Amino acid sequence: MKEKTVFASRRARVLPLLNEFTDANETRADAFLSTALPNVRYLTGFTGSNGAVLITPLRAILFTDPRYTTQSAQEADCDIRIAKGPLAKKVASVANRLRLKSVAVELNRLSFQDHQQLAKLLTGVQLKPVTGLVETLRMVKSSDEIATIRASVNLNSVALEQAMTRFKPGMTEIDLAAEIDYRMRLLGADGTAFDTIVASGRRSALPHAHPTAHPIEVDELLLIDMGATLAGYASDMTRTYVVGKAGTKIRRMYKAVLDSQLTALALLKPGMTCAKLDRAVRDVLRGYGLDKLFMHSTGHGLGLEIHERPRIGRKEAVKFEAGMTVTIEPGVYEEGTGGVRIEDTVVVTERGCEVLTPTKKDLVVL
Ligand code: GLY
Ligand code: MN
């Protein structure tokens, strides 16, 4: 058993927070069940692919299956129950035995099937939906988490640098994406944080393109969006290159996106709402007449998941706080021409933000 861990401190925050996440007409639940793996990892340290954690006022119990008997004992600092069948069944039997009156469950995470099964098996235990409680706790990172994200970001940038030394026109998008993924693994990544995007020419206008057998030709745009996972934590970066010559239109698109990205980095500070920052980015792009070509949000939190709260979008009322790690990734995409996106991972500081991504972002013509 580990010493009183960071996980125990995180769990200690869950039940006191339940009030804020409970509908005003409802009474607070007396226990909390997390079934989302990133939340389970955050609360217990367990990294397996099947798990749930029940937090009661007196204890925390991790549920997993026999494949993880050894691993869960090594990783988790709480009680463990190994379920031979569905976890929901085991959770229900424990909740019944503990005579819990009500259990809060994650409305945004629990599958309909698991909810039905739990509701059927629980006797005298009410299920109460809450949304985003652990996700809210996870928004502000500890210094250890920030150090891990910084390492993940650095690894990601080194992988890009190494992969680009092997780039030559004619290489396919798939070849380059495979090279990037290979470099990440050799550098010690757990894996990629999402499917690497390599999109060239007109295909770069697809914000979430899948790499294809399309050869990356001269006088084409080349958009690369990549992220590593290191010790569970994600990084995220997009760079857009021009292969061969960059025409006036492309240069102007690049200038606009870079201008909007640098503006966001200069403005970002604690206390500002995400919506305000998003608006500032759109205002810069509007100055270039390109705001209509920016159809996604300005960025997103990242950590144990590649997309976490907060979402830096038009309607996000969340205010930045020191310790949040987010991406800043404006882009413009024109069908038939191509797309430009520039994305860094940053950490919010007491006075502003620190850009973690070391890769330069002036227009590079390959
Ligand atoms: N870089 C992938 C994404 O943010 O969706
Ligand atoms: Mn991103």
Side-chain angles (χ1 to χ4, degrees), residues 81-101:
R81 293 282 180 281
I82 303 295
K84 296 229 168 70
L87 297 192
K89 221 166 143 182
K90 193 80 168 174
V91 170
S93 93
V94 169
N96 286 334
R97 205 160 347 108
L98 292 176
R99 297 187 193 291
L100 298 174
K101 298 244 168 337

Side-chain angles (χ1 to χ4, degrees), residues 193-195 197 207-208 224-227 235-238 296-297 299-302 306-307 327 329 341 343:
F194 54 91
D195 288 347
I197 297 170
H208 263 198
I224 299 173
D225 186 350
M226 56 190 282
S235 45
D236 198 358
M237 161 173 69
T238 307
H296 54 76
S297 57
H300 53 89
L302 82 176
I306 183 62
H307 294 135
T327 69
E329 52 174 305
R341 178 165 68 250
E343 173 181 33

Side-chain angles (χ1 to χ4, degrees), residues 1-2 46 62 64 68-78 80 82:
M1 189 74 69
K2 334 275 172 301
F46 177 61
L62 170 71
T64 185
Y68 292 113
T69 305
T70 306
Q71 184 182 323
S72 60
Q74 287 167 346
E75 292 178 337
D77 62 338
C78 55
I80 297 167
I82 303 295

